[in-house]
Amino acid sequence: MKTQDSATYQKIEEAIGYINQNFRQQPSLEDIAEKVHLSPFHFQRLFSDWAGVSPKKFLQYLSVEYAKSILNDRQATIFDAAYETGLSGTGRLHDLFIKIEGMTPGEFKNGGENLNINYSYAQTPFGNVLVASTPKGICHIAFADDANSAFEALKKSFPNAYFHPILDLNQQNALLIFTHDWQKLNQIKLHLKGTDFQLKVWECLLKIPMGKLSTYGNIAAQIQKPTASRAVGTAIGDNPVAFLIPCHRVIQSTGAFGQYHWGSSRKTAMIGWEAAQANLTH
């Protein structure tokens, strides 16, 4: 883990938290910089290096009006469009690379008994992550603000598995998702412990392109369970693979970003960062 990168994201997350809490006041660059104990010049440079855009531009991506405009943009066909356009239309769709394989009933029931799981830690634009894999694919990615707690959560998910502190090829390929050129990704496979309903929801999330957003109701409609928005929300909250399965792209129908398993400021950071990256390519 790179200590400097981790410290940078902590400053960014702190700034975004402040922006979230004071959005209606439209805080100035000087106000935000003061809150994170940096000079305006240093903060502007640090933020722009991280996001690819200025803090002022980033603020626009965090507005409810912007979120609503994304939701209204081809809302009815957003998932179909992801597959129809392939990589030619957006350049950064990663859903085409990712395939989900559910664990066997035995693996599911027995807590991963006789399952060998490799794991490692890595730095991302949104903080440290713990990434874990079986021989069949990625089974877990979680933000690891505390490495020990993150590992304990992994073990709780697979109490009977064998764990090995190894960075393997599956993990290396998955971590490429945090770089900017997703077209160079090898095909990623996921090996997940979930019910049939959860797997359908997670597969649906993979179809939301970067820079786009959806709602719980839209996901429910896509899996042909239009009255199951609450159950969809629970399945999204149980997503075992942070960022790679983009549950952060699901927001409330009002345009509010809502809560996130790994922190609302981190979710906001992801949505704004992806909007910035997507707009830079257009």
Side-chain angles (χ1 to χ4, degrees):
M1 297 182 218
K2 298 180 182 178
T3 304
Q4 185 61 42
D5 289 344
S6 180
T8 295
Y9 177 69
Q10 288 175 6
K11 289 290 185 184
I12 298 299
E13 185 177 34
E14 187 179 351
I16 289 172
Y18 176 74
I19 291 171
N20 272 340
Q21 293 170 11
N22 299 276
F23 181 81
R24 292 185 182 277
Q25 286 74 41
Q26 288 290 292
S28 67
L29 175 66
E30 289 74 19
D31 292 334
I32 302 170
E34 181 181 2
K35 205 65 183 177
V36 297
H37 308 293
L38 295 173
S39 71
F41 173 79
H42 188 195
F43 174 68
Q44 172 98 355
R45 186 174 63 181
L46 186 75
F47 195 99
S48 298
D49 286 346
W50 175 81
V53 296
S54 68
K56 182 177 180 180
K57 184 69 174 177
F58 194 86
L59 259 175
Q60 297 175 10
Y61 298 142
L62 305 187
S63 71
V64 170
E65 289 74 20
Y66 180 81
K68 285 182 176 178
S69 73
I70 294 297
L71 288 175
N72 290 331
D73 180 22
R74 300 185 66 189
Q75 182 175 351
T77 60
I78 186 171
F79 299 103
D80 295 335
Y83 281 115
E84 288 170 2
T85 60
L87 293 178
S88 60
T90 64
R92 298 219 175 156
L93 290 178
H94 66 285
D95 52 284
L96 299 179
F97 294 95
I98 300 173
K99 304 296 180 185
I100 291 180
E101 179 176 339
M103 291 193 175
T104 65
E107 291 167 335
F108 189 112
K109 181 179 179 181
N110 298 324
E113 186 174 358
N114 298 322
L115 200 61
N116 285 286
I117 296 178
N118 294 338
Y119 71 93
S120 61
Y121 297 90
Q123 178 64 37
T124 79
F126 314 105
N128 297 324
V129 293
L130 168 64
V131 55
S133 57
T134 73
K136 293 183 179 179
I138 297 296
C139 63
H140 185 88
I141 297 179
F143 288 100
D145 296 323
D146 179 274
N148 291 331
S149 296
F151 183 56
E152 288 302 316
L154 171 62
K155 289 197 295 183
K156 188 176 180 180
S157 296
F158 301 97
N160 299 316
Y162 300 102
F163 294 94
H164 313 280
I166 297 171
L167 173 62
D168 60 28
L169 185 60
N170 282 328
Q171 296 167 34
Q172 292 179 51
N173 285 341
L175 290 169
L176 287 173
I177 206 71
F178 292 103
T179 68
H180 291 188
D181 190 357
W182 292 356
Q183 295 185 40
K184 293 183 179 179
L185 286 172
N186 292 327
Q187 187 179 70
I188 295 174
K189 293 183 179 179
L190 303 179
H191 188 205
L192 303 183
K193 185 175 78 170
T195 64
D196 288 343
F197 180 82
Q198 288 174 321
L199 293 175
K200 285 181 181 178
V201 170
W202 299 338
E203 286 175 346
C204 208
L205 297 180
L206 288 171
K207 300 177 188 178
I208 308 174
M210 190 182 83
K212 299 294 185 179
L213 300 169
S214 191
T215 66
Y216 301 98
N218 283 346
I219 301 294
Q222 286 294 319
I223 63 171
Q224 299 182 337
K225 301 284 185 180
T227 62
S229 292
R230 188 180 296 273
V232 163
T234 300
I236 289 172
D238 291 335
N239 171 25
V241 181
F243 194 77
L244 193 59
I245 296 179
C247 56
H248 60 279
R249 295 177 190 160
V250 183
I251 66 173
Q252 297 172 16
S253 58
T254 60
F257 290 170
Q259 297 301 308
Y260 183 59
H261 182 78
W262 290 283
S264 57
S265 290
R266 183 174 271 124
K267 179 176 183 176
T268 304
M270 290 177 175
I271 290 173
W273 185 85
E274 290 189 334
Q277 304 307 310
N279 279 284
L280 285 173
T281 63
H282 293 160

